[in-house]
Amino acid sequence: MTHASDKWEAAFLVALWSIIVLVTVITAQRGKKYLIRRIPGLNAIDEAVGRATEMGRPILMVPGLSALGVVGLQALTIFSYIIKTAAKFGNRILMPVADPALYTVAEEVVRESYAAAGRPEDFDPTSVYFLSDRQFAFASGVAGTIHREKVAASFLFGDFFAESLIFAESGQQVGAIQVAGTVQTTQLPFFIASCDYTIIGDEYYAASAYISREPTLLGSLVGQDICKGMMLLIVVLGTLALSIKPLGDKFFFVQWFTIK
Amino acid sequence: MNPIQSFLSRAFPALHGGALAGAVAGCVLACIVGVVVLQALPGKARKAIIAGVTFLAGLFYALEFFLPANAQDENILTFAVPTVGNVTNVLGGMTLGLGVLSLIRIHGANVVKVKSGWENSMLLLVSMVVMAVAGIKYEHTLFYRSLFRDVLNSFDAAMFAVLAFFIVSAAYRAFRIKSAEATLLMVAALVVMLGQIPIGQYLTHWLPVKGSYLSLLRLDNISNWLLTTVNAPAQRAIGFGLGIGGLAIALRIWLSLERGAYFEAKADES
């Protein structure tokens, strides 16, 4: 097991960053206004839904192989917004899921999103379905859905591995507008090559704040940026410390962050 | 054995035979009652219970991480980590049944209503039953191994092989020279590819390997520099951002600060 006592410096940073995020969340809840930059990939959601409406073809949402965790729940938050937008225009949606635990939550989210959009009667229980928890069985099921249904828009958010390119290229083949985002950095090049918009890195976690503009989420996002600034400062200071020969690798700051 | 461990051992002694079966039945009954009570509660009360349980579960892992460990890398809570992990696995296992029900509901309806492609749905249902029976009853037979190794694994391999063709078409689109960024990408990719293959290394093999500025022009050195000095830091930077983003969202979920369909709608019902 890994414990804080194995590396107190890292544990201290985790605790400090947690406090920073909580402080910015509380200040945002108390009315402090925060602005966030434009994220083109998230702006493209409305464009993709509009195009699906014009074409009269379904919208596909895939949470990848995400389990019921932060990545999967974040994907469902983004999908919830897409569904509310799609419900207003009467678009048909499809959501194949690979993880049975996430499937149960996804079904609830879709039902509630239709209710929130004022169209509870439009919810189709067969629109959210469990396919398989085997990677390539799931991939073949999703690729088949893309080709059979000729989806107009495809949203790929969550954990993706080797199957990412199968989904993205299948979408390309049927001419779907595609928006993707994943925390798996090894899959980002495939999405960038095949999708119209790709959400990179921590933009994925910024999505719920960007879409909802909730003060709590905006505050959290600002806290994340402060932590990233601190990380950058540590990298710069570490580089300088290592570059100044008299300090050497025995310097306490370098020692702190050296992997032993 | 620490005080918590000894208390738990006394409170929940190991059971066998009929007592164990009774305890399992009792737990199942308690789960059913729990679900029924949760469904009957108003949204706000249900949210408070879920938030409390989420907080306690998160607190366990946070305390287990932050409490000092002894020389065996254990603290007062480490002994319980496998048990808590088992609870999570059991909850996850129960949802698999719901997933299978979803498959039966959708494909069963396709077969009954003779919808387009009903033959595929029928094949899926038959395959599911055959595989389940083979796995439960004939696990150590050639029949099961053949189904698993010769059929299922071959299908997986075939799907994986499709990737080779998709990589070519994606690479073609990515490397088309249509902007300054695409040109840069194309040149970088070409250099890295040449630096990794023998013919590429042969092109600049006459330059010194090191000890001279000319060695910087060797394709394998440029390729290595691109991978370790340009690509790796960029990947790490993305990783840092993701790590901090993950920490923030984990905090929001742990403290029930998250806003979204699965948190707010339930509370708004009441």
Side-chain angles (χ1 to χ4, degrees), chain A residues 36-54:
Chain A
I36 51 174
R37 70 178 171 84
R38 196 174 157 269
I39 302 175
L42 295 172
N43 283 346
I45 289 175
D46 292 339
E47 179 193 337
V49 173
R51 193 173 146 181
T53 312
E54 283 169 14

Side-chain angles (χ1 to χ4, degrees), chain B residues 114-249:
Chain B
V114 200
K115 283 185 180 173
S116 165
W118 68 271
E119 309 91 335
N120 299 327
S121 295
M122 174 66 100
L123 192 62
L124 182 134
L125 292 173
V126 171
S127 304
M128 205 161 71
V129 172
V130 169
M131 205 68 184
V133 170
I136 294 165
K137 197 126 173 73
Y138 307 102
E139 194 187 345
H140 302 292
T141 62
L142 184 66
F143 174 59
Y144 174 74
R145 268 178 289 152
S146 186
L147 277 179
F148 192 82
R149 189 184 56 201
D150 303 336
V151 179
L152 194 59
N153 281 355
S154 303
F155 285 165
D156 275 352
M159 207 56 210
F160 190 51
V162 172
L163 266 179
F165 301 98
F166 283 151
I167 284 175
V168 174
S169 59
Y172 169 71
R173 259 196 316 282
F175 297 153
R176 261 183 311 180
I177 298 174
K178 54 190 176 189
S179 64
E181 291 93 338
T183 312
L184 200 63
L185 187 68
M186 167 73 192
V187 172
L190 192 69
V191 169
V192 170
M193 277 192 286
L194 283 173
Q196 303 292 317
I197 55 174
I199 194 165
Q201 291 168 5
Y202 178 76
L203 288 174
T204 52
H205 79 285
W206 46 274
L207 289 169
V209 179
K210 55 184 176 182
S212 160
Y213 283 113
L214 283 175
S215 65
L216 299 175
L217 298 174
R218 280 179 68 105
L219 274 172
D220 44 348
N221 285 347
I222 300 173
S223 163
N224 196 39
W225 180 82
L226 280 172
L227 288 174
T228 56
T229 313
V230 179
N231 182 41
Q235 292 266 6
R236 279 183 205 140
I238 294 173
F240 279 141
L242 280 170
I244 293 169
L247 175 73
I249 195 172

Side-chain angles (χ1 to χ4, degrees), chain A residues 83 115 130 145 153 155 174 218 230:
Chain A
I83 294 162
F130 171 75
T145 303
F155 296 98
V174 298
L218 287 177
M230 285 177 63

